[in-house]
Amino acid sequence: SMGQMATINDELDLETAQGISKALAAIMRELVATEADPFVRARGVAYVAQTALKAIEVGNLETELQELRQLVEDQAAAAEPPLGRWRS
């Protein structure tokens, strides 16, 4: 119902791919549960599923990028000489 969707929307984080994936999953549950024409439901679920898959892919890329960024920062920190070494 619309009241339930408002509650779901208030609880979701729409700033990250993971949050958007959760929002799309909630929308899919609502579409499946609705009393609309089966053809309309099927089209809606297919559309949301396609979008959800893209959000999941982006979320996976975000995670990999964060891990790679941390690895590069760790390696750069290990390669930098300590400041005391260059002081007289």
Side-chain angles (χ1 to χ4, degrees), residues 25-57:
I27 292 168
M28 284 181 66
R29 284 191 296 274
E30 288 290 320
L31 284 170
V32 170
T34 189
E35 296 293 325
D37 176 61
F39 181 73
V40 172
R41 284 192 319 200
R43 287 185 63 187
V45 168
Y47 179 79
V48 173
Q50 181 180 13
T51 305
L53 287 174
K54 291 293 182 189
I56 291 167
E57 289 174 9

Side-chain angles (χ1 to χ4, degrees), residues 66-87:
Q66 288 173 351
E67 291 171 358
L68 183 58
R69 182 179 293 137
Q70 187 61 51
L71 178 65
V72 169
E73 288 174 1
D74 292 348
Q75 288 179 350
E80 290 178 8
L83 289 177
R85 182 184 220 185
W86 298 105
R87 293 184 182 157

